[in-house]
Amino acid sequence: MSPPRPPLPDKKDAQADTRSIGSSSDDSGDDNKLLEIGYVPSFKREFSNMATISFAFSIMGLCSSVATTFNSPLLLGGPASVTWCWILGATMCFTLGASIAEIVSAFPTCGGLYTASAQLVPKKHRPIVGWVVGWLNILGQILGLSSTEFGLANMIWAAVVVGKDGDFTVTAGKTVGLFAGLLILHGILNCLATRQLARLTTGFVFINIGATLIIIIVLLATTPRSEMHPAAYVFGSQGIVNQTGGWNTGIAFLFGLLSVQWTMTDYDATAHISEEVKRAAYAAPSAIFIAVIGTGLIGWLLNIVLVLCSGPLENLPGPSGSAFLEIMTLRMGKPGALFLWAFVCMTAFFVCQTALQAASRTVYAFSRDKGLPDGGYFGHVSTWTQTPLRAIWFVTLIGILPGLLDLASAIAVNAIFAMTAMALDLSYIIPIFFRRWYRNHPEVKFVPGPFYMGDGWLGWAANVNCILWTLFVCVIFALPTVLPVTGATMNYAAPITGGVILLSLVWYAIGGHLHYKGPQSNRPDLNNASTAPEGADDALVAPHDVEKAQVPVV
């Protein structure tokens, strides 16, 4: 039996905040769901279903992500590694995407899996779990943004090299200068109001998928049948070419996973804009689900066609350093290749645009919960644009710093970027694991959203599979891709990621625990000392914790 409800002297204030944001019955339902979780709505809900799906596709940036990672599987494991590792990884990523979508549907907040992870463990563990997942997610997203922007700068300079027939030298200064300029431009674009961001984002998916399909069609149309590789080269043993310098063929083949795992990551980016999405509990997880399937299948077709039309392997990656661009130039000619390459670069531009938006919302949510030592400074929403401008520029300026390392050492910057996928993937499986581990704990009551795989074999199979697969892939991420290991070939992903986790724990023990108590409600009626229930001051009050969290629909 529930205890009597105390009076709600500040309820009108919370409802007034809801009225100022919500503008329709759908918005009211979304905002009341957010109030039930424990947060006063702060954003305008302008992202439609189409804009949300476009956002989810854009964050993966299919053709641009393949373009920047295609060298790894092709030159380490060979053409067959490109083909088979993509569909293998995409299938496994589908179970991870579905598991993430399930949690996002239950917790449609801009904190995403960070907020959810702290709600899926007993109260005494919420602060430490939220702290580790929050920092892994923030660092992974910022470094992912920085590395993608850095990749875009290199893609643009690669086009210049091709355009000048190799008579152009790309220096570290040119790359870093272009990288910083592009990141600042994305910071400016992200200062737009939510409505303008939603309109801008809606068209991204058509350029992303459209450019990919056009490249596939043109490559097939311009490659003579006699010059296409046989099936044994694309799918069979002829296409297994070990160029790792020492690893056995099995490990070399598995390095083909690096491309698909890098492309199909940052699934939870859509969750971080869920407070700006209409019907978020439905739209956000559905967008993740659709984007993972679409990216996996279309990406497989793109990789097959690239290998089929690739020409002699010994001629790749060519003067530009990009096997993807060299294949396009070989088959389409320089003018046609550079024309379509512009759309590939545009897709990468969209990835950075959406990645910065998602990362800024994560920083906003973590600051709102006092996870940053800023006194909540970055957890502020501008009354002018109704967006977190402070968090946007925090992410933009911090994102420039890793790229500056390229001026000192290319090895250093690659070492920092290497932890992106590992940090993000680990931050994803932690809440998935805890949801199952503490499923019967009295303080953990997972209330499923509309997207739910159930407690039967399907849900269990997807959850267990994605956890085991992610741990396996992290091992592949940690291996140096070329032997013997030197300072230039060392893979620093594992030690850097482990160092980040260790430093975050030390920071939490020394001083973080003083200001961070886990995700905290910003509802006035729950923060009022005279009316808040026991435990409301040390963790986010969820609807199952207290009846008072149920605020009537406005």
Side-chain angles (χ1 to χ4, degrees):
M1 181 175 180
S2 302
R5 272 196 293 182
L8 303 179
D10 295 317
K11 182 171 69 177
K12 291 182 180 179
D13 293 336
Q15 291 179 345
D17 287 336
T18 306
R19 288 194 188 99
S20 68
I21 302 299
S23 58
S24 68
S25 58
D26 284 342
D27 290 351
S28 296
D30 287 327
D31 291 343
N32 276 275
K33 173 63 176 178
L34 194 60
L35 285 165
E36 290 174 5
I37 294 174
Y39 292 119
V40 173
S42 302
F43 298 94
K44 289 185 178 180
R45 296 187 182 273
E46 301 286 0
F47 275 75
S48 63
N49 289 345
M50 188 67 240
T52 308
I53 291 172
S54 181
F55 186 97
F57 266 103
S58 298
I59 198 68
M60 296 185 192
L62 176 54
C63 61
S64 63
S65 295
V66 172
T68 55
T69 59
F70 187 68
N71 284 11
S72 294
L74 182 68
L75 303 180
L76 293 173
S81 173
V82 174
T83 305
W84 288 115
C85 283
W86 181 278
I87 192 61
L88 171 63
T91 302
M92 298 303 176
C93 287
F94 173 69
T95 65
L96 180 57
S99 299
I100 290 172
E102 191 174 46
I103 294 178
V104 170
S105 183
F107 298 93
T109 77
C110 64
L113 297 183
Y114 147 68
T115 301
S117 64
Q119 293 301 297
L120 296 173
V121 296
K123 289 183 179 180
K124 67 178 181 179
H125 300 315
R126 289 180 184 178
I128 188 65
V129 171
W131 177 269
V132 172
V133 173
W135 275 111
L136 276 176
N137 200 259
I138 286 175
L139 289 173
Q141 286 196 65
I142 293 178
L143 290 176
L145 165 65
S146 187
S147 62
T148 304
E149 201 80 83
F150 201 81
L152 173 57
N154 282 314
M155 289 167 66
I156 294 173
W157 287 128
V160 175
V161 171
V162 170
K164 290 185 173 291
D165 296 319
D167 187 21
F168 185 84
T169 302
V170 180
T171 64
K174 292 175 182 176
T175 302
V176 172
L178 181 56
F179 154 78
L182 288 168
L183 197 46
I184 290 173
L185 176 58
H186 280 115
I188 294 171
L189 289 175
N190 264 278
C191 290
L192 295 171
T194 304
R195 175 168 295 183
Q196 281 72 47
L197 287 173
R199 289 175 178 173
L200 183 65
T201 304
T202 301
F204 290 176
V205 66
F206 300 106
I207 296 176
N208 186 358
I209 297 179
T212 304
L213 295 178
I214 290 173
I215 289 171
I216 291 171
I217 293 169
V218 174
L219 280 175
L220 292 173
T222 56
T223 304
R225 182 70 177 268
S226 60
E227 295 182 15
M228 290 183 178
H229 290 292
Y233 182 85
V234 180
F235 299 101
S237 58
Q238 289 183 23
I240 300 177
V241 183
N242 185 346
Q243 299 187 74
T244 61
W247 286 112
N248 64 53
T249 301
I251 297 296
F253 181 84
L254 289 174
F255 283 142
L257 294 169
L258 297 176
S259 178
V260 62
Q261 293 294 147
W262 185 272
T263 301
M264 299 183 67
T265 191
D266 214 358
Y267 310 89
D268 71 326
T270 308
H272 296 303
I273 65 162
S274 59
E275 292 184 31
E276 300 163 78
V277 172
K278 298 176 181 178
R279 302 179 70 247
Y282 294 87
S286 298
I288 295 171
F289 192 76
I290 293 169
V292 170
I293 294 176
T295 299
L297 294 178
I298 299 174
W300 193 34
L301 180 60
L302 174 62
N303 277 280
I304 290 173
V305 172
L306 283 169
V307 171
L308 187 68
C309 305
S310 61
L313 183 61
E314 59 269 20
N315 293 344
L316 298 173
S320 68
S322 170
F324 192 109
L325 179 55
E326 290 296 329
I327 294 169
M328 290 174 60
T329 304
L330 172 67
R331 299 309 179 188
M332 305 174 192
K334 186 167 67 175
L338 291 179
F339 175 75
L340 287 179
W341 189 251
F343 288 94
V344 178
C345 292
M346 196 180 299
T347 301
F349 188 88
F350 296 156
V351 175
C352 297
Q353 174 69 17
T354 51
L356 177 51
Q357 184 178 351
S360 65
R361 273 49 174 185
T362 310
V363 169
Y364 161 82
F366 205 44
S367 176
R368 176 176 64 181
D369 292 336
K370 307 298 186 292
L372 297 175
D374 64 338
Y377 179 80
F378 294 110
H380 173 268
V381 173
S382 168
T383 56
W384 179 41
T385 62
Q386 211 66 50
T387 56
L389 294 182
R390 295 175 184 175
I392 289 169
W393 284 105
F394 172 82
V395 172
T396 300
L397 297 177
I398 294 297
I400 291 176
L401 297 180
L404 296 179
L405 290 173
D406 192 52
L407 296 173
S409 168
I411 297 174
V413 71
N414 289 330
I416 294 296
F417 291 157
M419 73 162 283
T420 300
M422 187 180 291
L424 285 174
D425 285 352
L426 288 175
S427 75
Y428 299 155
I429 63 171
I430 290 173
I432 296 171
F433 171 79
F434 282 137
R435 185 176 89 75
R436 292 298 184 180
W437 185 261
Y438 288 113
R439 65 189 182 280
N440 295 322
H441 196 282
E443 292 181 359
V444 178
K445 293 179 178 149
F446 175 74
V447 180
F451 187 98
Y452 183 51
M453 292 184 288
D455 276 331
W457 67 268
L458 178 62
W460 270 96
N463 293 164
V464 172
N465 181 82
C466 74
I467 292 171
L468 296 178
W469 175 256
T470 299
L471 293 175
F472 169 73
V473 167
C474 283
V475 174
I476 302 299
F477 278 144
L479 297 176
T481 55
V482 176
L483 297 178
V485 178
T486 65
T489 61
M490 173 62 183
N491 187 336
Y492 296 93
I496 291 179
T497 304
V500 167
I501 295 175
L502 179 61
L503 286 175
S504 71
L505 292 173
V506 171
W507 183 5
Y508 179 80
I510 294 175
H513 69 282
L514 298 177
H515 59 82
Y516 181 72
K517 306 298 182 182
Q520 298 181 31
S521 172
N522 65 349
R523 283 180 49 185
D525 53 311
L526 294 183
N527 287 327
N528 188 302
S530 63
T531 62
E534 181 181 356
D537 60 342
D538 61 8
L540 182 66
V541 176
H544 59 269
D545 289 328
V546 55
E547 285 186 10
K548 191 180 66 174
Q550 306 290 338
V551 175
V553 175
V554 179

